[in-house]
Amino acid sequence: SAQKVRACLRIAILVLALFYLSTIWRIRHLERMQSTENDINGLSMPFNVTSSSLQEVRTIWPLSGNCALFSTFTLLYYIMTPSLLWNAAIIWRKGHRRNIFVALLSIITLLVIDIAFSGSVYDCKIMTGEGKDDTSIIARNDGTSWSNSYSPNQFMEDNVRISFRLHHSHPSTTSGDDDAPLRPEKFAGVPGYKCSSSDFGDLPPSLSNRTILNFTTSIATNLKVIFIGDSISEQFAQAFDASVLGRGYEGNRWAKTYVNGRDGMNLHNCLSASAPVRGGGASAFWRVATLMSASSRTPRPDVCEHKSRTWNENQALTLLDHRYSSSDHAKKELDHRNVTVTAFDAVVMRLNHGWLKIEEIKKERIEEAIKLSNKFLGAQTIIISTLPLNNNVVTPSDWEGVAKINQMVRDIARSWGESTRQPSDVKWILVQEFGNFTNQVVRTNAKHVKLINDTATLPDFSQQGWELAGAGYLMKRLSAATYW
């Protein structure tokens, strides 16, 4: 019977060895896929997220697609290694007590591994072609990987580059929360973008039990991020600044401005820079109300006008040469400005529909703007924001054109290859699904106010072209005067 047991164990080892080799091959295959495939379309979050499930969503969403598969096979890899060793010891080592000891040790080891991987932290690594894990997504709910320091060139725990915290009450009523953000419209200069204190009331019952509009966000990052585009991008940048600059650090923000509107009531930024921000990074805005191209460049180095649809590299140099303090107490020592931005890590680009006609926004122009952003700002990651419904969408054909532009952006991100890329070129094109998200808000709101059949099931928001079906209600507008 002992020989039969040994024979069975040998068969088991052979099966485990084959599975072990298969697992290693699969991990290497996934690493190659991660280094060559860039298929990031954005994330559509469901509307039925409650406060109690918010942390769960934060923890689970990174484990999707290849990332989840990679994590699974990595776990199996660690499980198979001790299993092989202990089973081999059982076969070729004699002695009843030794066998029992080794078997128990194997069980304990597997239990320890299982416990270690069942915590709240999931680390999904994205491998680059150079064999280094430059990027990882870590979701956790224990409050670590966070910094309240404004000192430049710092590193957060686990080398996290950007981290966020959610606050379930409006910052105007928050007390005892050191990293609570400023109001999102804190740096807005257009009266229509601002909310008075009377505008902040309790949400209606249909929304009060959902985590949709009843929270704000604070951010800590050592990244240097710049937003490029028109006044919509300006608002993106201002809201981001309000999230990365805590109370007392508002003075870390600089802006070059102009006015327009009746009696000069609107104050706009054409350039802005915030540094250092919470976490040691920097944030900036560059008004370019077109797509950067050789033909849209102007020789004027200081252009700062509302109707200008040009750009000049001197504007980029102004932001790159922006100086700020290296002190952690920057708000008190801004006279010691001994650090410069030098280069940006990421560009958040908006395609300026309105300033540009739909037919002017072409793949070739977008790709030229991507390359020029990298050339003059140094960023190797470009994030493009998809277009939502806006006042420039007047006819159904306009709406179809916007949908085609958004799909064009996704296709560019998918197909952006590395075969001809130089070391300093753009590595990653990512998609910020701003259009998809806001279109979901509009469609859901239309259902609640009965603009559309309120008994109909909401569409699958992850499907391409969902916003085009039954979109006739979007063309029903109230007449209004304008002074733009």
Side-chain angles (χ1 to χ4, degrees):
S1 60
Q3 291 180 348
K4 291 182 179 179
V5 170
R6 285 195 176 92
C8 291
L9 287 173
R10 286 192 178 96
I11 293 173
I13 282 186
L14 179 61
V15 173
L16 288 172
L18 291 174
F19 188 49
Y20 180 70
L21 293 173
S22 174
T23 301
I24 294 176
W25 175 85
R26 185 60 177 165
I27 290 173
R28 298 294 180 262
H29 177 64
L30 288 172
E31 288 175 357
R32 289 194 296 273
M33 287 176 64
Q34 294 285 10
S35 67
T36 58
E37 182 179 284
N38 193 350
D39 190 16
I40 301 178
N41 294 329
L43 193 67
S44 297
M45 295 294 289
F47 281 103
N48 58 344
V49 180
T50 61
S51 299
S52 60
S53 64
L54 183 61
Q55 295 291 351
E56 181 183 356
V57 171
R58 286 181 60 199
T59 300
I60 291 174
W61 76 260
L63 295 179
S64 59
N66 291 336
C67 190
L69 199 58
F70 179 74
S71 298
T72 301
F73 278 95
T74 301
L75 176 58
L76 289 175
Y77 173 86
Y78 286 111
I79 291 178
M80 300 320 301
T81 303
S83 296
L84 281 172
L85 293 175
W86 302 145
N87 280 280
I90 290 173
I91 292 176
W92 282 284
R93 294 284 184 178
K94 296 181 180 180
H96 181 65
R97 291 182 180 178
R98 188 185 297 257
N99 289 353
I100 294 176
F101 171 76
V102 173
L104 287 174
L105 188 58
S106 176
I107 293 172
I108 292 171
T109 303
L110 293 175
L111 286 173
V112 169
I113 293 174
D114 182 65
I115 293 172
F117 276 83
S118 63
S120 61
V121 179
Y122 299 91
D123 193 353
C124 178
K125 298 188 181 301
I126 303 172
M127 308 302 291
T128 67
E130 292 78 19
K132 298 183 293 184
D133 34 348
D134 293 340
T135 310
S136 69
I137 300 171
I138 300 178
R140 64 192 348 161
N141 56 16
D142 56 6
T144 58
S145 299
W146 179 259
S147 173
N148 274 318
S149 169
Y150 286 70
S151 177
N153 305 317
Q154 63 175 284
F155 294 93
M156 290 183 279
E157 186 179 334
D158 298 321
N159 198 27
V160 169
R161 303 299 307 277
I162 185 168
S163 182
F164 70 91
R165 285 181 173 177
L166 302 182
H167 308 263
H168 288 278
S169 59
H170 194 274
S172 62
T173 61
T174 302
S175 60
D177 192 352
D178 293 336
D179 59 294
L182 304 167
R183 285 187 176 182
E185 78 282 5
K186 168 67 179 179
F187 300 111
V190 178
Y193 299 163
K194 297 183 177 182
C195 299
S196 65
S197 58
S198 60
D199 293 325
F200 295 103
D202 294 332
L203 292 171
S206 60
L207 294 176
S208 59
N209 62 341
R210 299 182 181 186
T211 307
I212 301 175
L213 302 173
N214 58 342
F215 69 91
T216 53
T217 308
S218 58
I219 297 172
T221 182
N222 59 14
L223 293 171
K224 298 173 183 178
V225 181
I226 181 170
F227 297 79
I228 299 180
D230 57 7
S231 59
I232 305 299
S233 290
E234 179 185 356
Q235 293 175 69
F236 286 172
Q238 290 168 344
F240 188 79
D241 288 346
S243 295
V244 294
L245 292 175
R247 289 181 177 83
Y249 287 85
E250 298 93 327
N252 288 14
R253 187 177 187 275
W254 163 87
K256 183 177 181 180
T257 63
Y258 69 90
V259 296
N260 80 324
R262 284 195 296 257
D263 301 321
M265 64 184 295
N266 299 322
L267 179 69
H268 286 281
N269 299 157
C270 52
L271 296 174
S272 73
S274 297
V277 302
R278 185 190 294 109
S283 168
F285 167 69
W286 181 6
R287 180 180 175 86
V288 180
T290 183
L291 282 171
M292 292 175 66
S293 66
S295 60
S296 63
R297 179 189 175 276
T298 178
R300 294 174 54 196
D302 58 348
V303 60
C304 185
E305 301 168 355
H306 184 70
K307 294 185 177 181
S308 172
R309 295 201 296 167
T310 60
W311 63 277
N312 182 276
E313 60 273 16
N314 186 69
Q315 298 165 317
L317 292 175
T318 298
L319 296 173
L320 294 174
D321 290 339
H322 178 71
R323 302 185 68 84
Y324 54 98
S325 173
S326 62
S327 170
D328 188 32
H329 303 287
K331 59 180 179 180
K332 298 179 181 178
E333 301 180 18
L334 285 177
D335 52 326
H336 302 293
R337 295 172 178 162
N338 53 359
V339 180
T340 57
V341 173
T342 306
F344 288 94
D345 297 298
V347 167
V348 183
M349 180 189 300
R350 171 177 150 77
L351 309 178
N352 302 305
H353 174 222
W355 293 100
L356 293 171
K357 298 177 180 178
I358 289 176
E359 56 269 22
E360 292 179 306
I361 304 177
K362 299 179 179 179
K363 179 175 181 290
E364 294 76 18
R365 290 201 62 181
I366 296 174
E367 291 179 341
E368 183 180 6
I370 289 172
K371 293 174 182 178
L372 287 172
S373 298
N374 164 259
K375 178 180 179 179
F376 291 109
L377 297 169
Q380 295 187 332
T381 298
I382 308 295
I383 303 168
I384 306 177
S385 180
T386 55
L387 298 173
L389 177 73
N390 60 76
N391 60 299
N392 298 298
V393 176
V394 180
T395 66
S397 62
D398 291 340
W399 189 226
E400 292 174 2
V402 167
K404 289 179 181 178
I405 291 172
N406 290 340
Q407 191 55 42
M408 185 194 308
V409 169
R410 299 179 188 112
D411 291 341
I412 291 173
R414 286 194 187 98
S415 61
W416 194 264
E418 296 186 352
S419 57
T420 60
R421 177 174 59 81
Q422 299 299 315
S424 61
D425 289 348
V426 174
K427 290 184 178 180
W428 298 285
I429 305 294
L430 307 180
V431 180
Q432 180 195 28
E433 286 287 4
F434 180 70
N436 194 319
F437 173 71
T438 53
N439 292 337
Q440 290 180 46
V441 174
V442 171
R443 175 64 68 94
T444 306
N445 188 57
K447 180 178 179 179
H448 283 305
V449 300
K450 303 186 186 305
L451 277 178
I452 58 177
N453 186 357
D454 62 339
T455 62
T457 302
L458 287 172
D460 182 352
F461 295 129
S462 65
Q463 293 298 310
Q464 178 181 336
W466 70 264
E467 66 274 18
L468 298 177
Y473 72 97
L474 296 176
M475 303 300 124
K476 298 177 182 179
R477 312 287 179 84
L478 297 174
S479 61
T482 179
Y483 56 90
W484 293 107

